[in-house]
Amino acid sequence: MQKNIINQIQACASMQELEELRISVLGKNGSLSRKFAELKNLDEDSKKKTAANLNKEKDEFNKYYNEKAQLLQEKELELKMQENVFNFAYFDDRAKTAAFHPLMQTMDKIINYFVNLNFSIESGPLIEDDFHNFEALNLPSSHPARDMQDTFYFKNKNLLRTHTSPVQIRTMLKQKPPIRIIAPGAVFRRDFDITHTPMFHQIEGLVVEDGDRVSFANLKSLLEEFLIYIFGDVKIRFRPSFFPFTEPSAEVDISCVFCKGSGCRVCKHTGWLEVLGCGVVDSNVFNFVSYENVSGYAFGLGIERFAMLLHKIPDLRSMYEGDLRLLEQFR
């Protein structure tokens, strides 16, 4: 190869210059390409000899070109990394301290309350079968309440659990009373708006004792003390409701934390906000786990709902968007 071509390659200061040189040599109208085009005018012997020399020049050019290209690419990458390097001096002292997500703050606060009352923490799989998620909770296949669950099903008929209640069933199947547990964790339903997400978190509680030692009065007393601990000086009411796995059942409301019960848009001008569901465990549930002569109560609440009320967050979805403008308020 001509010495000046090699010098030109080595003198290129950027990939753009190197590419322009490549086109001038190997492009459609490049100097070496034109020589290849002239081979047709030579006799057979001269064509072979000239073609061999031209291919050698081409290979040599490509060798020097590739070596130079690698050097230039490494240099450009290094410059780009230097331009984009993080300057941590831009961060203020607040960036040196961490904080819990408001959802986790709320969950920890609730868990700590019940752990101090001698509740143990139990967990279960996120992927459940029909028996633990529905059947054993007094929700047979024909039960209309199944339509309320908006369930994610798999092809093998397993499903993403729609509540943490299966943990209660699994706990009762592996141990005998007395039972005093809470089951925190993620659950899944096909729903998405300002107050619902496809994945959210629940804490459910279960107390089971031998005989008739557990009553709705015990449940009511426990939940009233709990809600005052969480929300402070609020009014509390229990409304009769229906849940397949408890009977009698109730939904629990607190006076609106936004308007103090006077009526606003958040509470739909009723002055009340629903916060949890509860009830005395249905005897059919005990039959599924082979419990006899026992009594118990259960309750369940959504962590996101409690977090929204505690921190006055208007849109549930904002807790999952990672927006620092929201999260830095909980430092």
Side-chain angles (χ1 to χ4, degrees), residues 78-101:
E78 185 177 348
L79 289 172
K80 188 176 292 185
M81 292 175 65
Q82 290 175 356
E83 290 174 0
N84 296 328
V85 69
F86 249 150
N87 184 352
F88 290 98
Y90 290 144
F91 292 86
D92 59 25
D93 289 338
R94 293 180 304 166
K96 298 177 183 177
T97 60
F100 283 109
H101 191 281

Side-chain angles (χ1 to χ4, degrees), residues 22-60:
R22 186 193 68 80
I23 293 173
S24 70
V25 176
L26 297 180
K28 185 176 180 180
N29 297 314
S31 57
L32 199 57
S33 298
R34 289 197 301 270
K35 291 180 181 179
F36 274 105
E38 292 171 357
L39 287 174
K40 62 184 179 181
N41 300 324
L42 301 177
D43 59 61
E44 201 62 34
D45 290 338
S46 299
K47 184 184 293 186
K48 288 182 180 180
K49 184 177 179 180
T50 305
N53 290 333
L54 291 177
N55 282 322
K56 183 179 178 181
E57 279 190 50
K58 183 178 179 181
D59 291 341
E60 195 173 359

Side-chain angles (χ1 to χ4, degrees), residues 8-145:
Q8 288 180 52
I9 291 175
Q10 294 175 343
C12 289
S14 67
M15 283 300 299
Q16 183 177 347
E17 289 183 22
L18 186 63
E19 180 62 13
E20 290 174 355
L21 178 60
R22 186 193 68 80
I23 293 173
S24 70
V25 176
L26 297 180
K28 185 176 180 180
N29 297 314
S31 57
L32 199 57
S33 298
R34 289 197 301 270
K35 291 180 181 179
F36 274 105
E38 292 171 357
L39 287 174
K40 62 184 179 181
N41 300 324
L42 301 177
D43 59 61
E44 201 62 34
D45 290 338
S46 299
K47 184 184 293 186
K48 288 182 180 180
K49 184 177 179 180
T50 305
N53 290 333
L54 291 177
N55 282 322
K56 183 179 178 181
E57 279 190 50
K58 183 178 179 181
D59 291 341
E60 195 173 359
F61 177 87
N62 285 330
K63 174 190 172 186
Y64 283 101
Y65 172 86
N66 291 331
E67 290 175 355
K68 185 64 176 180
Q70 183 175 352
L71 289 173
L72 290 174
Q73 287 169 352
E74 290 175 355
K75 183 179 178 181
E76 289 183 2
L77 178 60
E78 185 177 348
L79 289 172
K80 188 176 292 185
M81 292 175 65
Q82 290 175 356
E83 290 174 0
N84 296 328
V85 69
F86 249 150
N87 184 352
F88 290 98
Y90 290 144
F91 292 86
D92 59 25
D93 289 338
R94 293 180 304 166
K96 298 177 183 177
T97 60
F100 283 109
H101 191 281
L103 192 61
M104 295 299 104
Q105 286 182 15
T106 305
M107 182 179 287
D108 286 348
K109 185 174 183 178
I110 296 171
I111 289 174
N112 287 338
Y113 179 84
F114 287 107
V115 167
N116 288 332
L117 292 179
N118 204 29
F119 281 75
S120 64
I121 303 172
E122 296 290 338
S123 60
L126 300 181
I127 298 176
E128 272 292 2
D129 55 50
D130 187 88
F131 173 78
H132 291 92
N133 196 84
F134 291 126
E135 194 76 23
L137 289 164
N138 203 28
L139 281 157
S141 57
S142 60
H143 201 291

Side-chain angles (χ1 to χ4, degrees), residues 189-329:
R189 295 182 190 176
R190 299 174 61 178
D191 210 348
F192 188 65
D193 55 41
I194 65 172
T195 57
H196 299 86
T197 55
M199 185 197 80
F200 56 102
H201 298 80
Q202 285 185 343
I203 290 182
E204 298 198 16
L206 174 69
V207 172
V208 182
E209 298 276 359
D210 288 318
D212 57 357
R213 297 169 58 187
V214 174
S215 68
F216 194 92
N218 303 133
L219 171 63
K220 185 172 183 289
S221 175
L222 173 79
L223 294 180
E224 285 176 341
E225 292 293 329
F226 164 65
L227 292 173
I228 290 172
Y229 162 77
I230 294 291
F231 296 108
D233 186 19
V234 293
K235 295 179 181 178
I236 301 166
R237 73 178 184 184
F238 288 70
R239 289 181 292 106
S241 186
F242 167 77
F243 301 112
F245 29 85
T246 55
E247 179 58 40
S249 304
E251 290 180 339
V252 186
D253 301 334
I254 61 171
S255 54
C256 181
V257 296
F258 295 92
C259 65
K260 307 302 180 184
S262 61
C264 66
R265 180 184 61 83
V266 178
C267 64
K268 299 179 180 177
H269 302 284
T270 65
W272 296 94
L273 294 169
E274 178 191 334
V275 289
L276 57 84
C278 63
V280 173
V281 179
D282 193 292
S283 58
N284 287 334
V285 175
F286 288 142
N287 292 336
F288 278 109
V289 296
S290 301
Y291 275 16
E292 296 180 357
N293 192 30
V294 297
S295 57
Y297 62 71
F299 58 88
L301 58 95
I303 304 298
E304 280 83 351
R305 181 158 183 78
F306 270 58
M308 290 175 70
L309 295 178
L310 277 173
H311 301 297
K312 296 180 171 58
I313 300 172
D315 190 329
L316 174 64
R317 294 168 295 189
S318 62
M319 286 195 282
Y320 293 98
E321 292 170 350
D323 191 333
L324 291 179
R325 292 172 298 179
L326 171 71
L327 298 179
E328 69 183 1
Q329 299 177 49

